[in-house]
Amino acid sequence: MSAILEIQNVSKIYGGVKALQNIQLLVPQGQWLAVMGPSGSGKTTLMNIIGCLDTPTSGRVIMDGLDLGSLSHSGLTAIRRESIGLIFQEFHLISYLTALENVMVAQYYHSLVDENEALEALAGVGLKERAKHLPRQLSGGEQQRVCIARALINHPKVILADEPTGNLDETNERLVMFILHRLHKQGSTIIMVTHAPDVAAHAERIIVLEHGRLASDRENNPVVSQPSEQKSADSRAEELNQNQKSEESFLAGTMAAV
Amino acid sequence: MLLKMVLKAIGRQRRKHYLIALTVGLGVSLATAMLGVMFDVGDKVNQELKSYGANLNIVPKGASMLGELYQTEDTAAEAENVNQENFIPEKELYKIKMIFWAYNIVDFAPYLSVPVEINGQKIILTGTWFNRHLKLPTGDEVDTGMTALKSWWKITGSPGDDGDTSGLLVGRDAAGRLGLKPGDSFSAKAKGKAVDLKVRGVFDSGGPDDGLIFAPLSLAQELSGQAGLVERVEVSALTTPENELARRAAANPGSLSRMEWDTWYCTAYISSIAYQLEEILPGARVKAIRQVAESEGAILTKIQLMMILLTVLTLLCSALAISNLVSAGIMERSVEIGLLKALGASDLSIMFLVLLELFLVALIGGVIGYLIGLGLAQLIGLTVFGASVPVKAAVIPLTCLMVLAVTTVGSLPALRSLLKLEATEVLHGR
Ligand SMILES: Nc1ncnc2c1ncn2[C@@H]1O[C@H](COP(=O)(O)OP(=O)(O)OP(=O)(O)O)[C@@H](O)[C@H]1O
Ligand SMILES: [Mg+2]
């Protein structure tokens, strides 16, 4: 397996704060990596650097064979556009655009808008029927799924999710994990920050940061989230609540895949 | 997609966009009014200034040799033994309205003075046209005369009347010296003959004319024995401010090249109007009353300068206000802008988005402001100049440029903060 991401001796210092210190990390193509650690340990800082939103104070980041340090500001913007899919804890949907339009914004800045493709992406997260709704008309879980659809629309090489389930209840957390499982199955590289061990348990590999240092790095036997009777009943209750056939079939599909 | 985003964004920050449109509208309306008036102010001010007197003086070739002493008694005494060279025939005067720049000749009035004795005191009586209706060979009809030429005179009693051949208009000082008031009748002596006269009105010119007495031209001609003659004509003409060409032409028309000469002849310079008047009145010499003409130009330039200054200041204020509003708008939307950056939108495309949105709003404000400005220009025209201001087409592209400039300048600080905005900062709520 070739490495999609190589982090060599990366440090990030904010004023006097050493947010990251000498991080070494090799992420193979297609790996699902969970990043854990206490608050302030540098998880978000690391994600920002991988996501080309920030640059390290020292060290090198090589993504898909490309040294990010050699890129200009606009070069980094281009990488962000082409290779990275971002999923936020806060969703960050544009409030005055519909779910569909929020997905299309990413298309617009990437290449061309394609409404059908955007609709498909929404269908992929079970929101085909909610395409015309504004973010405030959607539940937190639904908003997060729109955010995921937007992150996936341009087929990124790496998906970065900073606490994707941090603002979600258990049911929605499960839904999001299903989607990530499917993406993982399809071969996407996923780097996911989380506080929750049961969320991290879905990943193949778990690293822990402490005070900006890599404190542990271990393989994980991912939970095959074989939904229990109870869980599946929960999910179904929710879908039936929303009375959306497409979502039902989406969930059924997802669970069959997992 | 872009347009959709822009329109929806406009819809969302509606209050802010109203304010931006309002600011642009206000700035543009004031600027439009200023510019509208400024383009028109040349004619308006000229028209205004011409009411403060004549700017051309036509004298006979012979008399002009004597200098400007025509009002002295010496001249009047000499007048007894002068020939036709010292006078202009009254019947030629209509030609003044037939030169190339006829429509720029606003008014003219002939004068003929004669010394008279009233209540034992010697004084000059000046005959003139108060208000003469002329039929030109071209078929045009015009009214001209001293009443219009000296429109600022304050008259107590009745104004002058060409038909009342014994009715005088007496200057305030002369009336005081002679003890006359409106309605008085008295007997005067001219060249030994007695003549019955009466005072129609007393005028206050605020100047040296207050020492004079005016009468219908026919009376002066009769008293002096110079039938059908005048000794001087004052002309008020609308003129283009002098420039270098006009000055050279005035010094020596022969020094101009053919093309320069054409340009000069076909421009309403005071010197070219004077030249044309001399062409049409061969026995006369036309002198520009230059101080007036030049101060007209100077005042005009100053007024226009002031208008430009005010326009620029107004627009600057608009730009400042817009800059505040746009900056606030960007701040409010920093998360959204950070998100677009995170999605891989280039700085340029985000600026484009913001500017497009702004220009759309500004355009709406600009159009409304332009319409209000036109109204405002009319208001200024009517209150200040007592005449409407015609719409000049040049104002429209200028207004567009103004909107563009104001919004661009106004949004510069916001664009700078937009560039500096870090996606990481806003997306993680730091
Ligand atoms: N822009 C910044 N300026 C100054 N200090 C910063 C900045 N960004 C992060 N830090 C500091 O760097 C350290 C790591 O922050 P980071 O956000 O990466 O932590 P985290 O692991 O994501 O924490 P959490 O779990 O609370 O999200 C913290 O001490 C933080 O205060
Ligand atoms: Mg964090």
Side-chain angles (χ1 to χ4, degrees), chain A residues 12-20 35-48 54 89 162-163 193-195 209 211-212, chain B residues 424-425 428 430:
Chain A
K12 180 72 185 181
I13 298 165
Y14 290 113
V17 183
K18 290 177 179 162
L20 290 177
V35 182
M36 298 190 70
S39 183
S41 58
K43 303 182 295 295
T44 299
T45 305
L46 181 64
M47 294 294 265
N48 285 342
D54 210 344
Q89 181 177 0
D162 197 345
E163 308 244 16
V193 168
T194 184
H195 279 288
L209 294 181
H211 302 298
Chain B
T424 54
E425 309 261 321
H428 302 294
R430 279 197 191 98

Side-chain angles (χ1 to χ4, degrees), chain A residues 73 80-81 92 96 101, chain B residues 4 8 336 341 344 347 427:
Chain A
H73 178 76
R80 219 149 59 216
R81 187 166 60 222
H92 292 310
Y96 52 88
E101 286 162 351
Chain B
K4 207 185 249 176
K8 289 198 171 187
E336 180 190 326
K341 284 193 176 191
D347 291 339
L427 293 182

Side-chain angles (χ1 to χ4, degrees), chain A residues 2-157:
Chain A
S2 66
I4 183 101
L5 182 71
E6 199 176 339
I7 293 175
Q8 298 177 350
N9 211 23
V10 158
S11 297
K12 180 72 185 181
I13 298 165
Y14 290 113
V17 183
K18 290 177 179 162
L20 290 177
Q21 292 181 65
N22 306 92
I23 301 289
Q24 297 277 3
L25 192 63
L26 207 69
V27 183
Q29 169 90 52
Q31 187 169 64
W32 185 348
L33 173 71
V35 182
M36 298 190 70
S39 183
S41 58
K43 303 182 295 295
T44 299
T45 305
L46 181 64
M47 294 294 265
N48 285 342
I49 287 172
I50 298 170
C52 298
L53 289 166
D54 210 344
T55 48
T57 309
S58 65
R60 294 211 305 170
V61 181
I62 295 162
M63 185 176 294
D64 209 14
L66 198 66
D67 186 348
L68 298 186
S70 69
L71 295 176
S72 64
H73 178 76
S74 61
L76 288 174
T77 303
I79 294 282
R80 219 149 59 216
R81 187 166 60 222
E82 302 296 335
S83 311
I84 312 272
L86 291 170
I87 300 171
F88 307 99
Q89 181 177 0
E90 319 275 349
F91 326 137
H92 292 310
L93 300 180
I94 296 176
S95 61
Y96 52 88
L97 297 180
T98 62
L100 182 66
E101 286 162 351
N102 265 287
V103 176
M104 282 158 70
V105 165
Q107 284 181 323
Y108 173 77
Y109 283 110
H110 179 264
S111 48
L112 289 172
V113 285
D114 178 342
E115 187 166 339
N116 285 331
E117 199 188 351
L119 263 176
E120 251 168 60
L122 281 178
V125 295
L127 288 175
K128 191 163 189 162
E129 309 299 318
R130 313 297 306 266
K132 300 283 183 213
H133 286 77
L134 290 173
R136 71 181 127 80
Q137 298 166 318
L138 299 173
S139 74
E142 287 161 345
Q143 287 186 48
Q144 185 59 293
R145 272 141 67 196
V146 175
C147 180
I148 293 173
R150 180 179 63 190
L152 302 182
I153 190 69
N154 297 320
H155 311 291
K157 288 179 186 145

